[in-house]
Amino acid sequence: MKRASWFQTSHHDHAAVTWPPVLFLLAILTVFLSTVAQAQDLAVNTVYIASSGNPALDQHMTRLLEDALGDKAAVRPLTNGQTATPDDAPIVTIGPSAFSRVRQANRRAPLLAMLVERSFIKDYVARNPGQISAVYYDVPLELQALIGKAVLPHATKVAIIASTETAGLYEPVVDKLPAMGLQPRVFIVDTEQDLIPTLVRALSYGDFLLAGPDDRIYNPSTIKHILLTTYRRNRIVIGPSQAYVKAGSLASGYAPFPAMAKAAAEHLHHYFGSGELPAPDYPDQYSVEINSQVARSLNIPLPDKETLERELDQVWSQYEGSEK
């Protein structure tokens, strides 16, 4: 008796092959799984990262964005000089320099700007809605004002100094502060020589100084004089950022990097679903940086950081709810 063979070849046609049932099913399964894998690869969207030039920051933000996107998108760096992406994939820019570099080289690319302030990006967004968006790096001034109120519960007046060019930055918050029990007043600095005299007048009015992301007023060449003048008059500065708290501001809100990455992922998911980027927005989570040494020097009792953040989160949630 002849042994059964898995295949039989005709004497006249060596190409004629008869597949046993098991191998036939395995072949079909292999093709099916390959097709599914290819479909999944095609279903994964791609996001490109334009670097800030700081390798540690770029790597950290890339990891956070990858975690926030999960398996819904692949994150890849732009290579040196690259500004165009296959199929117009969105580009996430880290910092204002990266945004400006990519924007000037490619006017068509969908751009999501990270680590940029609202004042920097707002005009780009206004001219290119749906194509350009951002996760704001700065903190809403209303939140900074609430931090000041939490630190000084009996505060009723807020002093603000601004240049002629940047006074408009504070208009929205000026209209909202009275509802928080705070009466704001903006003092205009016309020249560099007017800074300290104007600041002295402002401090005689306000219980604290609310500092916004205004580089004309708050910059490395002025901050020492502002903080010393404020300290000598037994007043405090709230804001504008973590860096200024280390320099001598009493406190400032800030968005943790994971919260910014989460907001960026939500913007990108919206883009993948609709083909357009949503309007820029702030992250939905904040922390507070406190300079305990300044508080002790001014005899200001402060709750611990966790308690302050809990209280602030509750008040901020109520405020946001009332604004909707």
Side-chain angles (χ1 to χ4, degrees):
M1 174 181 281
K2 292 184 179 181
R3 182 177 298 177
S5 174
W6 280 13
F7 62 90
Q8 296 176 352
T9 304
S10 167
H11 177 72
H12 301 288
D13 187 359
H14 293 283
V17 176
T18 303
W19 290 75
V22 173
L23 281 185
F24 182 74
L25 290 175
L26 285 174
I28 292 177
L29 182 60
T30 300
V31 173
F32 173 76
L33 291 176
S34 175
T35 303
V36 170
Q38 291 175 5
Q40 287 176 339
D41 288 341
L42 292 173
V44 173
N45 298 291
T46 304
V47 177
Y48 287 83
I49 299 285
S51 71
S52 67
N54 181 330
L57 175 62
D58 296 336
Q59 290 172 12
H60 184 55
M61 292 304 300
T62 298
R63 283 196 301 269
L64 290 174
L65 188 58
E66 287 174 337
D67 291 343
L69 286 168
D71 58 0
K72 301 297 178 60
V75 180
R76 299 176 181 172
L78 286 180
T79 57
N80 291 336
Q82 181 183 359
T83 57
T85 60
D87 301 324
D88 293 327
I91 301 173
V92 174
T93 61
I94 302 178
S97 295
F99 175 85
S100 298
R101 184 176 69 249
V102 176
R103 173 62 182 167
Q104 294 311 311
N106 187 347
R107 314 284 282 194
R108 296 177 53 199
L111 302 180
L112 177 61
M114 297 188 70
L115 305 189
V116 298
E117 295 175 347
R118 184 177 182 274
S119 57
F120 170 83
I121 201 72
K122 64 177 183 179
D123 290 341
Y124 291 101
V125 173
R127 292 192 296 267
N128 304 275
Q131 181 194 3
I132 294 178
S133 187
V135 176
Y136 297 137
Y137 182 54
D138 51 313
V139 177
L141 286 170
E142 302 96 303
L143 178 67
Q144 300 283 39
L146 286 174
I147 293 173
K149 185 73 172 175
V151 170
L152 298 175
H154 300 296
T156 58
K157 295 180 179 179
V158 178
I160 297 169
I161 56 173
S163 66
T164 304
E165 294 83 359
T166 60
L169 172 70
Y170 294 96
E171 281 193 6
V173 72
V174 164
D175 294 335
K176 295 173 181 177
L177 287 181
M180 303 177 187
L182 296 169
Q183 295 301 320
R185 183 175 173 186
V186 179
F187 295 79
I188 300 298
V189 178
D190 292 316
T191 66
E192 186 177 341
Q193 291 72 28
D194 291 336
L195 175 60
I196 298 304
T198 303
L199 174 62
V200 170
R201 291 198 304 275
L203 296 174
S204 68
Y205 169 81
D207 297 306
F208 64 88
L209 180 69
L210 178 62
D214 181 353
D215 292 338
R216 290 179 177 269
I217 299 294
Y218 303 99
N219 58 63
S221 65
T222 63
I223 191 60
K224 179 180 177 181
H225 303 292
I226 291 173
L227 292 171
L228 284 175
T229 302
T230 305
Y231 181 82
R232 287 168 182 163
R233 281 159 180 78
N234 204 38
R235 291 290 188 266
I236 63 171
V237 179
I238 300 296
S241 68
Q242 280 179 285
Y244 285 96
V245 175
K246 292 177 172 62
S249 292
L250 183 101
S252 179
Y254 68 94
F257 282 159
M260 288 188 279
K262 176 176 175 288
E266 291 171 353
H267 279 56
L268 291 167
H269 287 317
H270 185 280
Y271 175 83
F272 295 139
S274 67
E276 293 189 348
L277 287 165
D281 204 356
Y282 293 98
D284 60 3
Q285 178 187 351
Y286 292 95
S287 297
V288 182
E289 185 83 8
I290 300 171
N291 191 319
S292 300
Q293 184 177 351
V294 170
R296 285 193 298 270
S297 300
L298 296 174
N299 294 317
I300 297 174
L302 287 178
D304 61 76
K305 177 181 170 70
E306 291 73 18
T307 300
L308 182 59
E309 288 180 350
R310 256 195 327 269
E311 294 175 354
L312 185 64
D313 183 63
Q314 182 178 3
V315 175
W316 182 243
S317 297
Q318 293 173 350
Y319 168 77
E320 284 191 308
S322 66
E323 287 290 295
K324 293 178 179 178

